[in-house]
Amino acid sequence: MSSHLRLGALPVFDAAARHLNFRLAAEELSLTQSAVAQRIRELETSLGVKLFDRLPRGLALTMAGRRFHSRIARALSDIDQATQEVTGSHKNTTLTLSVPPSFAAKWLIPRLAEFRQAHPEWRLRVHATESLANLHQDGVDIAIRQGRGQHDNSLRCLWLSGLERIAVCSPRYHEEAGEQLDRLDVTDCMLIEDAHQGWHTFAAHFEGIDNAERLWVNHTSLAVDAAIADQGIALTPRLLAAQDLANGNLVALCGLPDQGEGFHLVYPEARRRQAEQIMLPWLRMQLND
């Protein structure tokens, strides 16, 4: 291994390892793609170790590359933080957060002003999608995902909140349905189904589910909005309906425990500082508010 390791190649390696794509790394660093590739080749030569496998579509870190990136990402993060602390300066940096659309609409977006107030040095870019972002090459820094927290070993995953599902409707719809709905009989009711199609999981709690009419929408946030508009009964994680329950737009009929499911914060090692020092404390403060 050469003793003349060029430290300037390390940020280039970090960007390439996060994106697993020389073109995206080049765009992030304002370099040409060929310059990125050249610096990676020089780094591999200097180390005497192959860091990437070149694939037909993109790159893959070798085992040595993964180990090296884990340490380098942490070191670069520490250097960045130390520089900001000693100079008292903060970069107006963009942080891209991938979230499910309904979580964005019903929980995150109403709280963005509080995030800007708490962290004015960060520009938060919200990417709302049902698709699971590839945190190594899609340009996404951190994700909030719904489920059981089972992700690939290259990602860190931290629990945020449980996923208790509840059946909700508007006070007016509840009043018009009368005693029948008080008995949890939905035979003549309109059940609002979203993409999760979860009404079958409530079969033990409601009578007449199979005979009830259905209104179909593709997002939970739309199901909640339809319920607020007196259109029927929706299923939603309690977290996403909390504000509407508190202000009287909705009433809860019954709920199911989360059964191990929840919302999780997911991020690669390279984004550990941003995730654990910026996003996680703020999210947990808001969730416990």
Side-chain angles (χ1 to χ4, degrees):
M1 180 183 72
S2 170
S3 61
H4 302 291
L5 176 62
R6 297 182 62 180
L7 297 181
L10 298 182
V12 178
F13 168 68
D14 172 58
R18 282 188 283 105
H19 292 293
L20 292 177
N21 185 293
F22 286 160
R23 178 183 60 80
L24 294 176
E27 290 177 1
E28 176 182 322
L29 299 170
S30 298
L31 297 172
T32 65
Q33 184 173 337
S34 61
V36 169
Q38 176 64 26
R39 294 190 190 185
I40 295 300
R41 285 194 297 270
E42 291 173 353
L43 181 60
E44 289 178 321
T45 299
S46 177
L47 293 171
V49 173
K50 184 180 181 182
L51 299 173
F52 292 99
D53 287 320
R54 277 69 170 175
L55 306 176
R57 295 185 179 182
L59 306 166
L61 284 164
T62 63
M63 184 176 297
R66 288 195 297 272
R67 289 197 302 265
F68 189 55
H69 185 243
S70 175
R71 301 292 293 272
I72 291 302
R74 190 178 303 119
L76 290 174
S77 178
D78 289 343
I79 291 170
D80 181 59
Q81 183 177 3
T83 301
Q84 292 188 22
E85 289 174 356
V86 76
T87 62
S89 64
H90 295 279
K91 294 185 297 183
N92 194 15
T93 308
T94 298
L95 188 64
T96 301
L97 179 67
S98 174
V99 296
S102 294
F103 186 93
K106 289 297 179 183
W107 193 88
L108 181 62
I109 296 299
R111 292 169 170 80
L112 288 184
E114 285 90 340
F115 181 85
R116 289 193 297 271
Q117 184 176 7
H119 298 287
E121 72 277 15
W122 289 95
R123 293 194 304 267
L124 188 62
R125 182 170 61 187
V126 178
H127 182 58
T129 176
E130 295 286 5
S131 302
L132 295 183
N134 185 322
L135 275 75
H136 296 297
Q137 63 186 66
D138 286 353
V140 171
D141 299 307
I142 302 171
I144 294 175
R145 292 180 178 170
Q146 176 179 326
R148 297 184 180 276
Q150 297 172 336
H151 305 291
D152 66 76
N153 294 332
S154 67
L155 299 176
R156 299 177 64 85
C157 180
L158 297 178
W159 174 271
L160 292 176
S161 174
L163 196 68
E164 179 195 0
R165 288 188 173 89
I166 57 175
V168 296
C169 66
S170 68
R172 178 178 176 182
Y173 192 90
H174 183 266
E175 181 180 357
E176 291 179 352
E179 294 182 1
Q180 178 178 329
L181 192 51
D182 288 335
R183 298 193 306 271
L184 300 184
D185 183 349
V186 295
T187 302
D188 299 318
C189 294
M190 179 70 75
L191 305 184
I192 306 169
E193 288 270 22
D194 62 16
H196 299 287
Q197 299 185 29
W199 268 107
H200 68 280
T201 63
F202 277 72
H205 300 268
F206 286 96
E207 294 183 24
I209 284 182
D210 291 339
N211 298 320
E213 290 188 75
R214 295 294 203 276
L215 172 63
W216 297 86
V217 296
N218 65 336
H219 291 307
T220 302
S221 60
L222 297 178
V224 171
D225 287 343
I228 292 172
D230 309 322
Q231 298 298 306
I233 308 168
L235 301 180
T236 176
R238 181 179 289 275
L239 178 67
L240 304 189
Q243 189 59 49
D244 288 308
L245 290 168
N247 62 26
N249 289 335
L250 293 172
V251 295
L253 303 176
C254 71
L256 289 179
D258 57 50
Q259 299 178 330
E261 292 185 90
F263 291 101
H264 300 81
L265 191 67
V266 182
Y267 54 95
E269 179 65 30
R271 289 292 175 260
R272 183 172 184 173
R273 184 179 71 84
Q274 293 92 331
E276 297 184 9
Q277 297 182 20
I278 304 297
M279 287 305 305
L280 184 62
W282 180 79
L283 286 167
R284 285 183 170 166
M285 180 180 68
Q286 294 292 322
L287 289 165
N288 295 326
D289 191 5

